[in-house]
Amino acid sequence: MHSRTRRHRLTGVVGALSALLLTVGNPVTATARPTPAPAPRPMTSGPGTNHATDDPFTSARTAWWRQDRFGMFIHFGAYSNLEGEYTRPDGTVCRNAEWIKRECKIPDEVYERQAATFNPAGFDATAVVKAAKDAGQRYIVITAKHHDGYAMWPTRQNKWNLRDHSAFDPHRDILAELKKAADAAGIKLGFYYSIWDWHDPDFGDPATFPRYEKRMYGQLKELIDGYDPALLWFDGEWDADHPTNKWSRQDGADLQAYLHGLNPRLIVNNRVGKREVVDGDFGTPEQEIPAEPVDGQLWESCMTLNDHWGFARYDTHWKSSATVIRNLLDVAGRGGNYLLNVGPDRHGRIPQPSVDRLREAGRWLGTHGQGGAVYGAGHTGLVADPSWGAVSRRGNDLYASVTAWPAPGRPLHLTTKAPFRVTSAEVLGSPRQRVEVTPAGDGYDLTPSGPAVDPAASVIRLTIEPPTAAPAGTGTGLTAQTWPNDSFTGPPAVTTTDPTVNKSYRFDGSPDPQIPADHFATRWTGSIQPRFDETYTLTTVSDDTVRLWIDGRPVIDSAIPHGPKVDKGTVTLKAGHRHSIRIDYTERTGEAHLKLLWSSPSRPQQIVPQRQLYAG
Ligand code: FHN
């Protein structure tokens, strides 16, 4: 339900822009013509296309990301050369980090002159990767290009980069060095890339924006082809001025399709579009931790270690390692990832206070098996989020991470949301300590016999006998009838069996080549078979309308046309029983999405799997 702001096909963009290529360049510093990015590989688009290729909650493509949980963010660019301070001609000092050019109103030529002295000769990729590993951070996301447009690799699209505009050794490539060190250490490497570009002269005018976009696509292809990143972390997608940023939902949808055409394994964040639940693979709450699991999409909380992303020599307001550890446990217990930032100085060195705090976090994670509360762990609906810490589940272990250890003999109460037995309990790192587990009220009382193991957090590992699960189903999916109108009028034009309800048609797709991208309707019918006797939360992500019934009773009614939207309803289901389900979905104009997810105390959020859906 979005009017089309600026519809263009990538092929159109490539076609139109390649003709313009000879008239563009970067007049600020370049005289050479940028090398044209070769036309991208053909990708599917148009009616019949579903851009949702898997369920990010369970797919092999995202498995490493959901397992690793904890990453290192690195903000490093030409701004780092100023180390957070700019002395104006009048002698006054202006302070900022990665936004220093804009916030301190540094003239282009002054900023370019200082960038020409940038020489991060001290950048040691092996040391950076070691700092991440010592911290227990299992992936790295480094700024390849921030808002100032300065590329940290030898891009062929312009001369505003670390190879062509710096005092740095022209034979070095820090992204290649980091990629090599990360691969050697088994650490995944991703790149941050700002869509908003303060430097490219073609960015701010809609008439010339396609020329910028062609260079942006070219740079992203360079990064994918040249460094094989596991992840792209977009930013700068919001509406802004100076220069005007009119990045649209259509632009984001086109870019995401282009990138997955280059590398189907790539993981992309929601800022590729406009941070909607349907954009990219994960949401990006910043400097905050959601109070509970996020509906409809994976998520990653990104944070600074002090108060700045880029290096600021005066900023000594460091988070404690205990705060880092507790944040990480809260994030993991709510099913998210934690991307914690370092800002190297102008020499390329990570500040020692950052290294010290990160190393302490890594010590905690690597001690007594406490990392089990994070790596491969996630949200459990079996218990309520406690006031004394966080609980995460990994297999049949619940990790109760206690940040407020009780007085001797006093219990920790754990509210349960489904019946399960606790078969053993131990304090990690204190093998002789006993933990009394007593049924109490709406759950259990956990009473440790001794002191906390660690002031940051101590972990009580509960091994449980989980609620009984019915055998996995044998379903093949739901019957899907589609009409070439949005009122279910006349006979359906297409009837198929859909293995799952996981559709991102976006702006150009539809259920079938004969169904137009706008004004269609689909009805799914059949039955849904839960594996647990529990109250399930059914979640839809829809654009434009959706209504859902279970056993003939309405569970979701979101019939007012809308943009990408999450709706939820609860229903008590019986393990192994086939409950009838009907979903009525309509697409009016513009963007189109429909996903059906479920969760329960025993079942973390996922697209309802095929084997639990039956056509009849
Ligand atoms: O403007 C940027 C900021 O400089 C920094 O890169 C953060 C990190 O996620 N993102 C934007 C602010 O939301």
Side-chain angles (χ1 to χ4, degrees):
M1 177 60 188
H2 271 268
S3 62
R4 291 178 192 154
T5 52
R6 179 158 35 108
R7 169 180 281 286
H8 51 70
R9 282 280 163 279
L10 185 68
T11 42
V13 169
V14 171
L17 292 171
S18 54
L20 288 168
L21 201 62
L22 296 182
T23 63
V24 298
N26 189 334
V28 177
T29 55
T31 49
R33 300 272 176 248
T35 312
R41 294 176 209 148
M43 61 186 185
T44 57
S45 64
T49 299
N50 173 20
H51 293 276
T53 55
D54 62 15
D55 171 15
F57 285 96
T58 57
S59 72
R61 176 175 65 94
T62 62
W64 71 263
W65 190 88
R66 291 179 285 110
Q67 168 72 25
D68 288 356
R69 284 280 180 246
F70 188 25
M72 174 185 274
F73 214 171
I74 303 177
H75 275 69
F76 189 44
Y79 44 84
S80 310
N81 195 38
L82 294 169
E83 297 200 326
E85 286 187 335
Y86 167 63
T87 302
R88 298 189 185 96
D90 64 5
T92 55
V93 176
C94 178
R95 285 181 160 183
N96 200 289
E98 75 285 353
W99 277 62
I100 193 164
K101 181 186 187 302
R102 180 185 177 87
E103 295 306 293
C104 298
K105 297 184 175 54
I106 304 176
D108 289 353
E109 64 277 4
V110 172
Y111 191 75
E112 286 158 11
R113 203 159 47 240
Q114 75 83 16
T117 69
F118 186 32
N119 182 10
F123 182 85
D124 177 347
T126 304
V128 169
V129 167
K130 182 179 186 308
K133 278 197 79 92
D134 289 351
Q137 292 168 307
R138 294 189 170 179
Y139 62 101
I140 291 173
V141 178
I142 186 170
T143 49
K145 188 196 85 162
H146 206 265
H147 308 330
D148 63 0
Y150 190 82
M152 294 297 281
W153 79 98
T155 180
R156 298 184 297 279
Q157 304 303 320
N158 60 40
K159 295 299 182 184
W160 181 233
N161 62 74
L162 184 59
R163 170 67 55 83
D164 299 317
H165 193 107
S166 74
F168 189 47
D169 177 349
H171 299 96
R172 292 186 60 182
D173 176 345
I174 65 167
L175 297 194
E177 293 167 15
L178 193 57
K179 170 67 177 173
K180 183 180 177 192
D183 284 354
I187 295 248
K188 294 285 188 186
L189 179 64
F191 294 138
Y192 165 113
Y193 189 92
S194 175
I195 293 161
W196 197 24
D197 188 309
W198 301 337
H199 191 271
D200 192 300
D202 288 329
F203 184 93
D205 179 345
T208 58
F209 184 81
R211 292 208 292 248
Y212 164 77
E213 196 169 31
K214 173 95 172 75
R215 287 192 283 274
M216 178 177 83
Y217 274 61
Q219 286 194 327
L220 292 168
K221 190 171 189 313
E222 288 173 5
L223 290 172
I224 290 172
D225 290 351
Y227 306 92
D228 189 22
L231 175 150
L232 287 179
W233 210 99
F234 286 94
D235 203 8
E237 85 295 337
W238 56 84
D239 293 350
D241 293 323
H242 314 304
T244 302
N245 186 4
K246 285 295 182 197
W247 189 253
S248 70
R249 297 199 50 65
Q250 172 88 63
D251 294 322
D254 288 350
L255 178 56
Q256 188 171 345
Y258 169 70
L259 295 169
H260 280 132
L262 293 179
N263 178 359
R265 294 174 293 107
L266 202 60
I267 295 177
V268 176
N269 76 341
N270 65 344
R271 303 186 189 185
V272 67
K274 303 294 271 186
R275 297 195 205 190
E276 299 271 4
V277 65
V278 293
D279 292 329
D281 295 300
F282 62 93
T284 52
E286 181 170 315
Q287 305 286 33
E288 60 172 353
I289 297 171
E292 53 193 19
V294 171
D295 296 321
Q297 193 173 40
L298 296 172
W299 61 275
E300 170 195 76
S301 171
C302 62
M303 275 191 197
T304 53
L305 251 176
N306 53 10
D307 291 334
H308 290 82
W309 297 101
F311 182 81
R313 68 165 75 100
Y314 46 84
D315 183 351
T316 57
H317 186 221
W318 301 103
K319 290 177 176 66
S320 67
S321 54
T323 297
V324 169
I325 292 162
R326 293 177 176 184
N327 285 349
L328 182 56
L329 291 166
D330 281 343
V331 165
R334 296 166 195 169
N337 280 25
Y338 192 38
L339 187 63
L340 189 57
N341 183 73
V342 297
D345 64 19
R346 62 190 172 89
H347 303 292
R349 299 168 309 200
I350 299 175
Q352 194 55 45
S354 299
V355 174
D356 295 342
R357 284 153 180 78
L358 290 174
R359 185 183 296 124
E360 177 54 23
R363 180 203 61 75
W364 186 93
L365 288 163
T367 307
H368 311 315
Q370 292 167 155
V374 172
Y375 302 124
H379 173 69
T380 177
L382 287 173
V383 299
D385 214 2
S387 59
W388 39 259
V391 179
S392 52
R393 179 176 182 180
R394 193 167 73 142
N396 286 336
D397 289 333
L398 297 185
Y399 288 79
S401 301
V402 185
T403 54
W405 197 257
R410 300 296 300 154
L412 296 164
H413 186 67
L414 190 59
T415 297
T416 57
K417 298 167 111 176
F420 61 87
R421 262 178 17 93
V422 179
T423 57
S424 70
E426 60 177 314
V427 179
L428 297 183
S430 182
R432 283 192 293 278
Q433 186 169 170
R434 290 185 328 284
V435 181
E436 198 177 324
V437 180
T438 316
D442 63 356
Y444 289 105
D445 278 349
L446 312 175
T447 310
S449 64
V453 167
D454 189 296
S458 301
V459 178
I460 299 175
R461 180 169 59 198
L462 306 172
T463 301
I464 68 170
E465 196 172 277
T468 307
T474 57
T476 57
L478 297 177
T479 298
Q481 297 169 295
T482 295
W483 284 256
N485 59 67
D486 55 31
S487 56
F488 300 95
T489 303
V494 179
T495 298
T496 60
T497 296
D498 273 349
T500 60
V501 183
N502 182 18
K503 312 291 183 185
S504 272
Y505 300 120
R506 295 189 179 285
F507 291 89
D508 62 3
S510 76
D512 186 276
Q514 67 180 289
I515 299 293
D518 289 337
H519 299 295
F520 64 82
T522 298
R523 174 170 293 147
W524 286 273
T525 53
S527 53
I528 186 170
Q529 184 186 49
R531 298 192 63 191
F532 300 94
D533 281 325
E534 292 180 348
T535 297
Y536 277 72
T537 298
L538 299 183
T539 301
T540 54
V541 176
S542 63
D543 180 342
D544 285 303
T545 72
V546 64
R547 299 175 72 198
L548 184 153
W549 297 262
I550 295 289
D551 294 333
R553 288 187 296 276
V555 175
I556 290 174
D557 186 349
S558 191
I560 298 171
H562 48 261
K565 179 169 176 282
V566 171
D567 289 283
K568 298 196 293 185
T570 57
V571 59
T572 299
L573 300 178
K574 185 165 179 44
H577 181 72
R578 292 189 192 180
H579 296 268
S580 75
I581 184 170
R582 173 181 157 189
I583 307 170
D584 277 8
Y585 164 70
T586 71
E587 152 60 5
R588 307 303 167 90
T589 59
E591 202 166 350
H593 303 269
L594 199 279
K595 294 174 179 275
L596 175 64
L597 303 97
W598 67 3
S599 61
S600 77
S602 295
R603 175 63 262 165
Q605 189 175 204
Q606 63 172 173
I607 295 281
V608 179
Q610 172 180 11
R611 60 187 180 282
Q612 304 309 130
L613 295 173
Y614 298 80

